[in-house]
């Protein structure tokens, strides 16, 4: 997930910048956490952080201070639910390369479906947050099983318990995950199976390369 955002997206793309922000925040918290027991290491790391504008040491800039903006209702449950579905998907392909597959997630309308929509607004995507978590080349989010689903399709069923507002909102939802080999070619740039030909980049990579060429 990180490598795709950091190395495949355009330098100023919001998805890449948001990834850098999370990494920076995580580094800051980790360094301050071990500073009391590893002061010299913490100080050295802190001095080499490139985005720090002041020269004060880690012990002069206060303790851990995480903004409340990081705490958004439903995000944690959405990620946990997506990870549960990813585990179902990866378990169904028996250690094979997840990028060689597309995933269809079927969830009945309800809270779990709404949480997944927060990670993927489009019905089908190969660049959404949900698809990045699933580690597949393409993810489709549906509210009912496709009519053309073959009888021998690789379908994995599961359930996920949503617990929000300290237990005030509690809902058990079921889901189905369908894994099937993707019919597209491997992109020579991002290495995902999202290209029409193995000799040409996928649409996302073509857009990034075009933006680089125009700067």
């Amino acid at each position: 997930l990180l490598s795709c955002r950091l190395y495949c997206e355009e330098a100023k793309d919001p998805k890449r910048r948001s990834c850098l922000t999370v990494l920076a925040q995580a580094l800051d918290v980790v360094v301050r956490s071990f500073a009391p027991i590893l002061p010299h290491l913490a100080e050295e790391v802190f001095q080499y952080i490139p985005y720090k504008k002041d020269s004060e040491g880690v012990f002069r800039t206060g303790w851990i201070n995480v903004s409340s903006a990081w705490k958004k209702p439903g995000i944690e449950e959405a990620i946990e639910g997506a990870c549960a579905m990813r585990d179902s998907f990866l378990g169904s392909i028996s250690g094979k390369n997840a990028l060689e597959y597309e995933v269809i997630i079927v969830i009945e309308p309800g809270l779990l479906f709404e949480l997944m929509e927060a990670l993927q607004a489009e019905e089908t995507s190969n660049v959404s947050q949900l698809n990045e978590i699933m580690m597949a080349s393409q993810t489709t989010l549906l509210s009912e099983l496709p009519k053309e689903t073959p009888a021998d399709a690789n379908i994995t069923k599961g359930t996920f318990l949503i617990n929000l507002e300290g237990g005030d909102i509690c809902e058990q939802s079921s889901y189905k995950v369908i894994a099937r080999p993707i019919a597209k070619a491997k992109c020579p740039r991002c290495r995902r199976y999202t290209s029409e030909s193995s000799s040409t980049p996928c649409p996302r990579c073509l857009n990034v390369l075009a933006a680089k060429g125009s700067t």
Side-chain angles (χ1 to χ4, degrees):
L1 190 157
L2 293 179
S3 61
C4 185
R5 285 195 177 196
L6 290 174
Y7 302 116
C8 296
E9 299 291 354
E10 188 181 357
K12 295 183 179 180
D13 188 280
K15 287 189 290 186
R16 183 178 184 275
R17 296 296 298 272
S18 67
C19 182
L20 290 172
T21 300
V22 171
L23 291 175
Q25 182 67 37
L27 177 62
D28 186 86
V29 170
V30 170
V31 172
R32 295 182 192 276
S33 297
F34 67 66
I37 56 175
L38 295 171
H40 298 293
L41 176 60
E43 188 63 41
E44 183 175 3
V45 172
F46 199 79
Q47 293 300 325
Y48 278 94
I49 294 178
Y51 50 83
K52 291 293 182 184
K53 296 182 179 180
D54 54 67
S55 59
E56 293 184 352
V58 65
F59 294 100
R60 294 180 178 272
T61 54
W63 185 236
I64 298 170
N65 183 23
V66 180
S67 172
S68 59
W70 289 97
K71 184 64 176 178
K72 294 184 178 179
I75 293 298
E76 181 178 353
E77 288 73 17
I79 299 298
E80 289 179 351
C83 287
M85 296 174 199
R86 179 190 63 194
D87 291 343
S88 297
F89 161 57
L90 295 177
S92 70
I93 60 175
S94 303
K96 297 178 182 177
N97 184 2
L99 290 175
E100 296 179 358
Y101 288 81
E102 62 174 320
V103 181
I104 300 175
I105 300 174
V106 182
I107 310 171
E108 292 184 359
L111 186 54
L112 182 59
F113 187 86
E114 293 175 4
L115 290 176
M116 293 305 106
E117 280 189 315
L119 300 177
Q120 178 170 302
E122 308 88 352
E123 182 176 285
T124 299
S125 176
N126 53 41
V127 295
S128 69
Q129 295 180 69
L130 180 58
N131 187 65
E132 289 179 341
I133 293 172
M134 296 302 293
M135 299 169 60
S137 279
Q138 180 174 287
T139 297
T140 299
L141 180 62
L142 301 173
S143 58
E144 59 182 15
L145 206 63
K147 295 180 180 179
E148 69 275 10
T149 303
D152 60 346
N154 185 2
I155 302 178
T156 304
K157 299 179 181 180
T159 59
F160 182 74
L161 178 63
I162 301 171
N163 196 333
L164 295 172
E165 304 295 336
D168 292 339
I169 302 176
C170 190
E171 182 178 301
Q172 176 113 356
S173 301
S174 59
Y175 61 84
K176 298 181 181 72
V177 175
I178 305 172
R180 61 187 187 189
I182 196 163
K184 294 187 177 181
K186 181 190 287 187
C187 171
R189 182 174 180 270
C190 70
R191 317 303 291 176
R192 292 192 174 193
Y193 290 78
T194 52
S195 180
E196 298 302 324
S197 168
S198 59
S199 59
T200 57
C202 65
R204 186 269 301 274
C205 288
L206 285 174
N207 290 335
V208 173
L209 293 172
K212 285 184 177 181
S214 61
T215 56

